[in-house]
Amino acid sequence: MPKDHGIGASQKRREDVRFLTGAGQYTDDINVHGQAYVCFLRSDVAHGRINKVDTAEAEAMPGVVRIFTGADFEGVGGLPCGWQVTDRFGQPMKEPAHPVLARGKVRHVGDPIAAVVADSLEEARNAAEAIVLDIEELPAAVNMKAALEAGAPRVHDDLSDNLCYDWGFVEDNRDAVDAAIKAAAHVTTLELVNQRLVANPMEPRVAVGDFNRATGDSTLYTTSQNPHVIRLLMGAFVLGIPEHKLRVVAPDVGGGFGSKIFHYAEEAFCTFAAKAINRPVKWTSSRAEAFLSDAQGRDHVTKIELALDKDNNFTAIRTSTLANMGAYLSTFASSVPTWLHGTLMAGNYKTPLIYVNVKAVFTNTVPVDAYRGAGRPEATFQLERVIDKAARELGVDPIALRRQNFITQFPYATPVAVEYDTGNYVATMDRLEEIADLSGFAARRKASEAKGMLRGLGVNCYIEACGIAPSNLVGQLGARAGLYDAATVRVNATGSISVMVGAHSHGQGHETVFPQVIAEMLGIDESMVEIVHGDSSKIPFGMGTYGSRSLAVCGSAMVRATEKIINKSKKIAAHMMEAAEADIELKDGKFSVAGTDKSVAWGDVTLAAYVPHNYPLEDIEPGLEETAFYDPSNFTYPSGAYACEVEVDPGTGKVTIEKFAAVDDFGNVVNPMIVEGQVHGGIGQGIGQALLENCVYDENGQLLSASFMDYAMPRASDVPFYQVDHSCATPCTHNPLGVKGCGEAGAIGSPPSVVNAVIDALQSGGHNVTHIDMPVSPHRVWQAMNG
């Protein structure tokens, strides 16, 4: 029988009730009495020198409160980068200033130049249109390879060139990798593009700044995945506000996919401006602004080489990547193509030698940072595409080649400095072949051919690293923040519980899943547990939600705090029943003395904690509230195997996904239904990247795909019904729940399976096509088929 309570139960998300009935409170729903509105005047050229910003006419327009320009931010810090990468020569990355409002130059279309604060949004927009700009347009650096050439336009005048860093990992392996590739029986080489994407969460970004002159306190309401990180970065490094004088609140947030991790100029501006004019200031992004101001994702150009011996064993991998940073370093941009990408190049395979080279490049485009998967999708796509290509060159079955090279012994230390604690890739592939009915593929291909269609099968594996940790290690690698998390468990006198967590929920289902864990541990009903998140004045200092870390890291902190609660409760119960503490057991919400019929209920013990009549205060202090911080000793390593079947119309090149199966190892699963939903969403985004989405700039740095008219998002008709399985679980060995991350897996595993399937379909039709870059659009497929 399926469980209906606690860990393992597929409970419906309790938070969905308010979302589906329109009772959610998003940042745009927050309106502070007397607030003004801001409209940003943004650059319409990718690169230019600001000669003059004339605001005289605009300042005289009705409703205008004040107009700010870069000059108002002299002496104010720029937006910081949270991770310093050291290049392969031992030098720190180049880290140019990132001003709140542009000063001297604009560096991408959408760069904010001025901000109009007015009584109404319409008045702010009208005044922004009246500002007269004198900008000398300069040649733009857009193509990464061209941006690195001598004489290329420099994005930042104070830098010698557009190279942010030249990173090599593991540098000591470089000569050995070169020698292994030279000596290999076979080398497969593939050049590919992991195209730029726009995150496009359902809710655009919003910021509301407020200042209390009586107390000197500033408050920022914002669409953030990690309010404490924003408070630290903005308070300490940008505006110089002491943390006890700055409150950051992230209420209900309508999706993030990574794009709401980062500290943005608009947040700093609204906080700054509210104090400057002594009035709340609100900004709500339009969808058009989001395309020009939200950090974008991916944008790697890579050459990968896979070496094999005469028996088809992998012997070495060498990659060379150009990674686009955009015009400025976003909060975690520098870590994505390095430590979140290079360390995953082993994949599921026992390749003994790996070398990864990444050159990060500044261009006159919107900054690039983490997007669902963040480095791991890029690594997986390279690896799984080159393995598929190698199998076809060698004339062997792609699944058999993978199986031959699987890691089978755990723990396993990879040549790229991470150690997988658990996994069972053979069992995962066995299960995939079963649920995807791969034995019936030949018959399905024949049926497609009878309709004049080409049918292809694509299979791939993935592994990812989630819950980046531990803090002391990532600090040595350049992280400028700890990567622990925290939880406070407050038991009320009547037994109900408030849990304040550092993680932030914006679609993950924390308000449902976290109470399932507490309820399992205490033997009480989930309805007695509420989760508090998002308000830095209420929650302990935690690092937020990203990188599939919430349950593995913050959930573990919550477990540790609850263990402290149980230990103290047992002491109280022992005094109440005049028994030894060691004899006290907790089961089904009741404390009992082992071997006797003595017992007291959970509520009786919690009441006694606050009405301490039954135990000596010198031994146990009143109250029942505990806090725990949890810093993981390692990543978690979810893994999986995916299979995709497509039909290709040879007349038009249109690709239709007919079947999709996903088998994932997420360790222990707390809520199977929510996990399945996370996988569904990730696969949908991966299919979007594989077939549809493409963020395109022209040679002048103008964004050509700047709206949903030009940027193709996946729709319901573009995705099939999925077969999802997570029965091949190998629990994580180093967190108390045995869980692994699940939120990004679908977006990591799906793109290569789709592209592999398309290539298989084309080759089955006699077309000698070895690769098509994403998005695999009808136009690109038709071109490939027709030379």
Side-chain angles (χ1 to χ4, degrees):
M1 289 284 294
K3 288 188 69 175
D4 60 3
H5 174 82
I7 292 175
S10 286
Q11 295 187 351
K12 292 182 179 179
R13 299 196 330 173
R14 64 166 74 171
E15 50 266 62
D16 286 351
V17 174
R18 71 173 184 272
F19 297 148
L20 294 172
T21 57
Q25 187 183 52
Y26 298 88
T27 309
D28 194 49
D29 295 321
I30 295 172
N31 293 291
V32 185
H33 178 70
Q35 74 188 15
Y37 297 82
V38 60
C39 176
F40 289 97
L41 178 63
R42 300 181 182 275
S43 176
D44 60 2
V45 299
H47 195 199
R49 184 163 286 108
I50 302 172
N51 293 325
K52 188 176 182 182
V53 181
D54 186 350
T55 63
E57 180 182 346
E59 286 172 337
M61 293 181 69
V64 173
V65 177
R66 182 169 168 182
I67 297 177
F68 295 82
T69 66
D72 293 294
F73 286 83
E74 293 288 345
V76 174
L79 306 185
C81 179
W83 199 301
Q84 183 182 73
V85 168
T86 301
D87 71 14
R88 63 191 187 92
F89 306 106
Q91 297 301 309
M93 67 188 187
K94 296 170 185 171
E95 197 169 355
H98 185 178
V100 175
L101 295 178
R103 297 202 296 266
K105 281 177 70 173
V106 290
R107 295 180 175 88
H108 67 87
V109 172
D111 212 357
I113 301 169
V116 179
V117 179
D119 293 332
S120 71
L121 181 57
E122 182 180 7
E123 288 168 326
R125 287 173 174 166
N126 290 340
E129 291 179 2
I131 295 175
V132 179
L133 296 178
D134 179 3
I135 295 180
E136 175 192 352
E137 187 171 1
L138 302 171
V142 179
N143 176 276
M144 286 189 283
K145 185 176 180 181
L148 293 179
E149 294 175 353
R154 280 184 293 162
V155 178
H156 296 274
D157 294 342
D158 54 333
L159 302 184
S160 58
D161 53 34
N162 293 317
L163 180 67
C164 178
Y165 55 74
D166 180 355
W167 185 78
F169 190 73
V170 174
E171 196 64 27
D172 291 345
N173 289 351
R174 186 171 191 157
D175 291 343
V177 169
D178 291 347
I181 289 175
K182 188 174 181 180
H186 182 86
V187 177
T188 295
T189 302
L190 180 61
E191 296 187 20
L192 51 81
V193 174
N194 207 298
Q195 81 272 33
R196 184 183 286 227
L197 303 175
V198 179
N200 285 319
M202 187 180 297
E203 175 202 28
R205 290 189 297 114
V206 183
V208 182
D210 192 16
F211 179 70
N212 186 325
R213 177 167 285 182
T215 64
D217 293 344
S218 292
T219 300
L220 170 69
Y221 303 93
T222 184
T223 45
S224 175
Q225 297 177 215
N226 42 4
H228 267 298
V229 173
I230 302 305
R231 186 178 75 146
L232 174 63
L233 294 176
M234 184 177 73
F237 298 102
V238 184
L239 300 181
I241 302 173
E243 284 185 88
H244 69 290
K245 289 295 184 181
L246 177 59
R247 175 187 176 208
V248 175
V249 182
D252 289 329
V253 172
F257 312 124
S259 69
K260 293 175 182 172
I261 297 171
F262 324 119
H263 177 38
Y264 287 96
E266 295 86 359
E267 294 169 323
F269 175 82
C270 288
T271 308
F272 178 88
K275 181 177 180 180
I277 67 170
N278 193 31
R279 183 174 172 183
V281 175
K282 182 173 186 176
W283 170 74
T284 300
S285 172
S286 67
R287 186 60 67 180
E289 271 188 297
F291 272 91
L292 300 175
S293 63
D294 290 6
Q296 297 169 353
R298 312 286 193 258
D299 207 350
H300 287 192
V301 177
T302 297
K303 177 182 178 181
I304 181 170
E305 298 162 281
L306 172 64
L308 303 92
D309 66 17
K310 61 182 177 59
D311 298 317
N312 295 339
N313 297 306
F314 301 164
T315 59
I317 292 170
R318 180 170 62 197
T319 76
S320 177
T321 293
L322 295 180
N324 206 330
M325 295 290 100
Y328 305 102
L329 285 176
S330 181
T331 307
F332 291 114
S334 56
S335 66
V336 173
T338 52
W339 299 111
L340 300 184
H341 157 247
T343 53
L344 272 296
M345 282 310 305
N348 307 64
Y349 311 104
K350 52 190 178 188
T351 313
L353 292 166
I354 299 173
Y355 180 74
V356 179
N357 177 243
V358 177
K359 292 182 175 68
V361 187
F362 291 114
T363 61
N364 292 115
T365 60
V366 172
V368 177
D369 209 318
Y371 169 71
R372 196 171 191 170
R376 288 94 84 199
E378 295 91 320
T380 299
F381 187 71
Q382 299 167 43
L383 187 58
E384 294 298 322
R385 282 293 299 120
V386 79
I387 291 172
D388 232 55
K389 186 170 185 276
R392 296 184 187 283
E393 291 174 353
L394 294 166
V396 299
D397 178 65
I399 295 177
L401 182 62
R402 288 177 168 86
R403 285 182 177 275
Q404 174 181 338
N405 287 280
F406 275 159
I407 297 163
T408 55
Q409 299 293 320
F410 295 88
Y412 178 82
T414 75
V416 278
V418 293
E419 182 174 283
Y420 305 160
D421 60 332
T422 61
N424 191 338
Y425 310 146
V426 173
T428 303
M429 184 61 80
D430 289 344
R431 183 65 176 148
L432 178 73
E433 293 196 41
E434 180 185 340
I435 71 166
D437 184 25
L438 297 193
S439 62
F441 173 72
R444 293 192 292 275
R445 171 172 273 175
K446 276 193 173 183
S448 295
E449 289 171 348
K451 299 186 298 180
M453 307 294 277
L454 304 176
R455 194 177 191 101
L457 169 66
V459 173
N460 70 276
C461 302
Y462 80 88
I463 189 166
E464 61 163 325
C466 302
I468 308 170
S471 294
N472 63 341
L473 173 61
V474 295
Q476 294 171 37
L477 302 180
R480 289 167 168 163
L483 290 169
Y484 53 84
D485 222 294
T488 296
V489 177
R490 176 181 298 156
V491 182
N492 300 307
T494 55
S496 64
I497 300 172
S498 296
V499 184
M500 285 65 74
V501 294
H504 186 278
S505 184
H506 43 276
Q508 291 80 8
H510 294 174
E511 293 175 42
T512 302
V513 174
F514 286 1
Q516 288 182 249
V517 174
I518 300 282
E520 179 88 9
M521 295 179 70
L522 299 178
I524 62 175
D525 192 83
E526 287 91 346
S527 63
M528 296 178 67
V529 184
E530 71 158 351
I531 303 300
V532 179
H533 67 92
D535 186 338
S536 67
S537 69
K538 297 179 179 179
I539 62 175
F541 192 106
M543 302 309 294
T545 295
Y546 47 84
S548 302
R549 72 190 300 271
S550 296
L551 191 58
V553 185
C554 188
S556 294
M558 186 176 66
V559 168
R560 294 294 186 235
T562 305
E563 289 171 346
K564 294 179 182 181
I565 293 288
I566 292 171
N567 290 338
K568 183 173 180 180
S569 299
K570 285 183 175 181
K571 289 182 180 181
I572 297 171
H575 280 282
M576 293 174 70
M577 293 185 284
E578 298 180 334
E581 183 184 334
D583 293 334
I584 302 299
E585 298 174 343
L586 171 61
K587 185 178 181 182
D588 297 329
K590 184 183 293 185
F591 294 90
S592 59
V593 181
T596 75
D597 60 357
K598 285 186 175 182
S599 66
V600 290
W602 166 255
D604 293 333
V605 173
T606 62
L607 181 62
Y610 290 92
V611 186
H613 294 165
N614 295 311
Y615 56 86
L617 293 179
E618 62 269 20
D619 292 341
I620 310 171
E621 63 185 36
L624 201 51
E625 178 174 324
E626 299 288 350
T627 296
F629 287 77
Y630 181 78
D631 197 342
S633 60
N634 194 0
F635 298 94
T636 69
Y637 297 99
S639 60
Y642 286 13
C644 176
E645 290 185 30
V646 301
E647 277 191 345
V648 178
D649 185 337
T652 65
K654 178 175 173 55
V655 176
T656 303
I657 298 179
E658 297 293 325
K659 285 171 65 70
F660 201 105
V663 179
D664 299 285
D665 174 3
F666 295 135
N668 295 331
V669 172
V670 174
N671 188 311
M673 181 179 66
I674 288 179
V675 167
E676 188 169 330
Q678 289 282 341
V679 174
H680 283 194
I683 293 172
Q685 283 185 281
I687 289 171
Q689 176 172 14
L691 296 182
L692 299 160
E693 299 182 46
N694 197 15
C695 181
V696 181
Y697 291 86
D698 71 10
E699 66 276 9
N700 298 313
Q702 293 292 333
L703 182 58
L704 301 181
S705 50
S707 74
F708 289 143
M709 293 292 289
D710 304 295
Y711 187 91
M713 295 280 283
R715 302 186 181 195
S717 59
D718 295 311
V719 299
F721 286 97
Y722 310 118
Q723 294 168 282
V724 175
D725 182 279
H726 42 254
S727 63
C728 300
T730 59
C732 176
T733 60
H734 54 77
N735 68 58
L737 289 166
V739 297
K740 304 178 183 180
C742 72
E744 296 164 294
I748 294 168
S750 51
S753 59
V754 174
V755 177
N756 287 346
V758 173
I759 299 302
D760 183 60
L762 298 187
Q763 293 199 357
S764 75
H767 300 281
N768 186 27
V769 178
T770 60
H771 181 70
I772 302 174
D773 277 325
M774 299 184 291
V776 185
S777 62
H779 177 68
R780 290 184 177 184
V781 173
W782 189 91
Q783 277 189 320
M785 288 191 295
N786 291 278

